[in-house]
Amino acid sequence: MGRHSLPDGSVPASTGSRPGARRRTIAVSTGLVLAVAAGSVVALRSDLLPFGEPCDGQSVRLHVAASPDIAPALDAVAKTAREGAARTDGRCLDVKITPRPAHEIADAFGQRPVDPEFQVWIPDSSLWVDRVDAGSGTPLTTAGTIASSPIALGAVPEAAKALDWPKKTYTWTELTEAATTGDALRLGVADPARSATGLLALARIDAANAKDGDEADTRTAATAKLLYQRVADGDGQVLATLPRDDSGTEQGNPRRNQALLLSEQAAYAHNTGEDGGPDLDLFYPQDGTVQLDYPYTLVDDDEITPEQTRAANRFLTLLSEPDGQRALRRHGFRTDNGRPEREVVDAAGGREPQPYSADPADPPSVKELQALLGMWTITVQSARITTVVDASASMANPVPDRGGRSRMDLAKNSLLQALATFTPEDEIGLWKFATYLDGAKDYVELSPTNRLGDRDKDGTTHRDALAAAFGSLAPVPGGATGLYDTTLAAYAKACGAYASGKFNALVIVTDGANDDAGGISLDSLVGKLEKLADAKRPVPLIAIAIGPEADKSALDRIAAPTGGSAHRVDDPSQIHQVILKAIMAAGSKGPR
């Protein structure tokens, strides 16, 4: 370890910006210092501020919260400023850098009112600033980006050789498939709920899947489930899962990962460290990676003093000058609008023909990231879902252009596909309904909502029993659609059996309108659902309307008070895809 030379080029600074939903963004020109006072920007030439002379005891203290990966580089620049007596307003600039995971700061700033202890925040990605903005949290002003680092897949030499590094290049889809199928690598990732690296990597996997056509969400969810098996709490923790040395014991340890989704800078720090274990080789996806962009963010600049604002802009100038840029590169970051430095790339494990100089892909939107977090939330929390399937006579109707197969046949197959995506920790149950199916009741519970991994006395799992129950579904001759009474009974039971820490939902599949004249009315049903729904114990109702006879407008009204949604499908084989999308949408609305 520590064998690589460090870059020491002199590349001019560049600060870019990325717009957010509410965030005020300030463009920075070369050679200018930012100053924000009374909501305006004043450009100050750095040579107007005296520095380089001994301090006389007076100083301006600037508190900066920074992502732990970039904090050492910032601290080096701050130390040089103190030793060189850099000044602002005629007083010494004293910058205190506090390493703090970005998700912790974002959670704090997302709450109002807040009295921030920092005047500047430098997270590893703009997505955290966007998240605060989207939640109308603490006002933030981005002055530019001070560095960047692309996200790649790093592998220990043995694993990299198996993937034919560096000669073979991969798309995101090919790379994740190679790392998660067959004789799969042990691939680790930081928790996307806590790590920009993990979330942005998942976003690129999802974007690549979307280009490949249908069932993109299903493939992304399947990949997420595989990644979750080896997830770590954060970026530092995931690096600790690599082998500690080259020994066969460490390399073969099933608890040790052979590859990680990580930033180029993280690989650089690992490879140039003294005790990091075997070096990593980097694969850069050829269809464009995403990058961490390290926005320099002023925190509630209307509340900080003019002296602190000018101190913040003075520190930004120091980071933008050649010495500051060299300090960032010495710690493995890219400067100059993300232009790759050969020394940094080599030390991080990049080699030609890996496309390390390719332009980054467009960053995902806040809405896209929310949907992905919803899907991830379902993956990590597990789910408790009761599925209620229409067994009225109309479910025997054949579906056009499907070889005479009935709505029920295709619905069963699609629901079994959905069942295959759930883990042993998920709790799934099944009801069927048709008028007067059980005496005066329109519904029957075929399989209770239990954990799929639980075993019966005969040794069979609940998954086996549930699959058999799905297989037994058949239309009831003469049966009509007892939708409203069934919905109320199933929703009441789902709310009463709410499982904390899981994603709770009720899924109703129907091909008709309510046809039980003696049952509850639509207005009464909606009123009762409004009373049952509890924002603190949410159970969204996801309704799937099959074919033109299904009453989609009624299903919309039924789903609305529960925080759920209604969807129409012409082909029942689409049901499992629609369920997954609806779960992702419901999961993205917030933590449970």
Side-chain angles (χ1 to χ4, degrees):
M1 303 306 300
R3 54 178 171 74
H4 302 288
S5 61
L6 300 179
D8 195 32
S10 179
V11 180
S14 176
T15 53
S17 61
R18 177 173 175 263
R22 291 179 56 252
R23 185 170 71 258
R24 291 161 289 175
T25 307
I26 304 169
V28 184
S29 301
T30 303
L32 297 182
V33 183
L34 294 185
V36 182
S40 64
V41 182
V42 180
L44 302 176
R45 296 187 180 278
S46 60
D47 57 6
L48 295 179
L49 298 174
F51 59 93
E53 300 174 0
C55 286
D56 57 6
Q58 295 183 340
S59 63
V60 178
R61 170 61 69 88
L62 181 70
H63 293 272
V64 178
S67 180
D69 52 349
I70 202 169
L74 301 176
D75 202 43
V77 176
K79 180 180 179 181
T80 299
R82 285 192 296 271
E83 293 175 347
R87 292 176 181 259
T88 175
D89 285 340
R91 292 184 288 174
C92 285
L93 178 63
D94 184 11
V95 181
K96 178 177 175 56
I97 308 296
T98 301
R100 190 73 64 83
H103 75 274
E104 292 182 3
I105 297 291
D107 287 346
F109 285 174
Q111 306 296 319
R112 297 195 71 178
V114 65
D115 182 16
E117 58 182 301
F118 306 105
Q119 292 80 53
V120 174
W121 178 32
I122 307 177
D124 54 2
S125 173
S126 295
L127 71 83
W128 302 113
V129 185
D130 290 343
R131 181 178 297 183
V132 175
D133 287 338
S136 300
T138 301
L140 303 172
T141 303
T142 294
T145 62
I146 62 171
S148 65
S149 188
I151 294 171
L153 185 143
V156 298
E158 182 178 354
K161 183 179 179 181
L163 293 173
D164 200 17
W165 178 90
K167 294 183 294 182
K168 186 170 183 179
T169 60
Y170 296 82
T171 64
W172 274 100
T173 299
E174 292 167 345
L175 190 56
T176 51
E177 285 181 352
T180 57
T181 59
D183 294 329
L185 302 177
R186 297 189 296 272
L187 175 63
V189 65
D191 186 350
R194 296 167 172 260
S195 162
T197 300
L199 183 55
L200 289 172
L202 189 61
R204 284 305 299 153
I205 293 169
D206 183 60
N209 287 336
K211 291 182 179 180
D212 291 340
D214 295 336
E215 301 189 8
D217 292 334
T218 304
R219 289 198 302 273
T220 301
T223 301
K225 288 179 181 295
L226 289 170
L227 291 175
Y228 178 60
Q229 296 175 17
R230 306 194 71 84
V231 74
D233 283 345
D235 298 311
Q237 290 89 336
V238 77
L239 283 166
T241 67
L242 290 167
R244 291 175 291 188
D245 53 50
D246 292 315
S247 69
T249 301
E250 279 291 296
Q251 296 283 346
N253 187 340
R255 295 178 179 272
R256 295 292 178 190
N257 287 317
Q258 300 164 294
L260 303 176
L261 291 166
L262 78 175
S263 71
E264 180 184 81
Q265 189 278 332
Y268 175 99
H270 171 84
N271 289 355
T272 58
E274 294 182 357
D275 300 312
D279 284 355
L280 294 174
D281 298 320
L282 288 189
F283 291 87
Y284 297 78
Q286 63 186 25
D287 49 345
T289 187
V290 280
Q291 62 182 11
L292 304 177
D293 60 353
Y294 302 93
Y296 191 93
T297 309
L298 303 181
V299 179
D300 204 357
D301 59 285
D302 289 337
E303 298 297 324
I304 63 177
T305 67
E307 291 81 6
Q308 289 173 324
T309 298
R310 289 191 286 273
N313 296 319
R314 183 74 183 98
F315 186 52
L316 176 58
T317 301
L318 294 176
L319 292 171
S320 304
E321 291 175 346
D323 286 347
Q325 297 284 284
R326 280 193 291 269
L328 289 165
R329 289 194 297 274
R330 279 196 297 269
H331 286 81
F333 296 95
R334 294 189 181 190
T335 58
D336 190 26
N337 279 333
R339 182 174 65 85
E341 287 288 329
R342 186 59 180 266
E343 294 90 344
V344 170
V345 172
D346 285 352
R351 295 288 187 279
E352 294 179 345
Q354 290 298 317
Y356 56 78
S357 60
D359 291 335
D362 291 334
S365 67
V366 173
K367 185 177 180 179
E368 290 168 338
L369 292 176
Q370 286 177 333
L372 281 170
L373 276 176
M375 181 204 65
W376 183 259
T377 298
I378 305 310
T379 300
V380 301
Q381 283 193 335
S382 297
R384 178 181 172 84
I385 299 176
T386 300
T387 306
V388 182
V389 180
D390 191 344
S392 60
S394 59
M395 287 292 284
N397 291 343
V399 177
D401 301 322
R402 295 307 301 265
R405 301 179 71 188
S406 70
R407 291 173 179 172
M408 182 63 87
D409 290 335
L410 294 174
K412 287 194 298 185
N413 288 344
S414 190
L415 289 167
L416 285 168
Q417 288 183 59
L419 177 62
T421 67
F422 290 100
T423 72
E425 298 302 319
D426 295 317
E427 300 175 20
I428 311 293
L430 176 63
W431 292 25
K432 70 176 181 179
F433 69 98
T435 50
Y436 305 108
L437 192 61
D438 182 16
K441 293 193 303 182
D442 295 339
Y443 48 87
V444 170
E445 183 182 64
L446 296 181
S447 184
T449 306
N450 291 337
R451 180 177 170 274
L452 291 176
D454 286 348
R455 293 188 177 275
D456 295 331
K457 293 180 179 179
D458 61 1
T460 61
T461 65
H462 180 58
R463 184 190 296 274
D464 297 331
L466 187 61
F470 274 119
S472 72
L473 285 170
V476 176
T481 306
L483 177 62
Y484 296 165
D485 282 355
T486 300
T487 298
L488 179 59
Y491 193 75
K493 185 165 186 178
C495 290
Y498 180 87
S500 180
K502 291 180 179 286
F503 175 80
N504 293 249
L506 178 68
V507 174
I508 295 181
V509 178
T510 182
D511 74 338
N514 183 67
D515 196 19
D516 184 359
I520 191 173
S521 69
L522 178 59
D523 287 341
S524 295
L525 171 61
V526 171
K528 289 182 179 295
L529 292 176
E530 288 174 345
K531 292 180 180 179
L532 285 169
D534 183 349
K536 295 181 180 179
R537 294 162 58 91
V539 183
L541 188 156
I542 298 168
I544 312 294
I546 302 175
E549 293 87 12
D551 191 347
K552 173 67 161 48
S553 61
L555 294 175
D556 284 330
R557 286 193 62 192
I558 291 170
T562 73
S565 55
H567 310 263
R568 183 183 298 281
V569 297
D570 293 323
D571 185 343
S573 63
Q574 301 168 345
I575 288 174
H576 72 288
Q577 298 176 39
V578 173
I579 290 175
L580 178 60
K581 290 179 180 178
I583 287 174
M584 289 171 62
S588 70
K589 293 179 180 179
R592 257 139 290 280

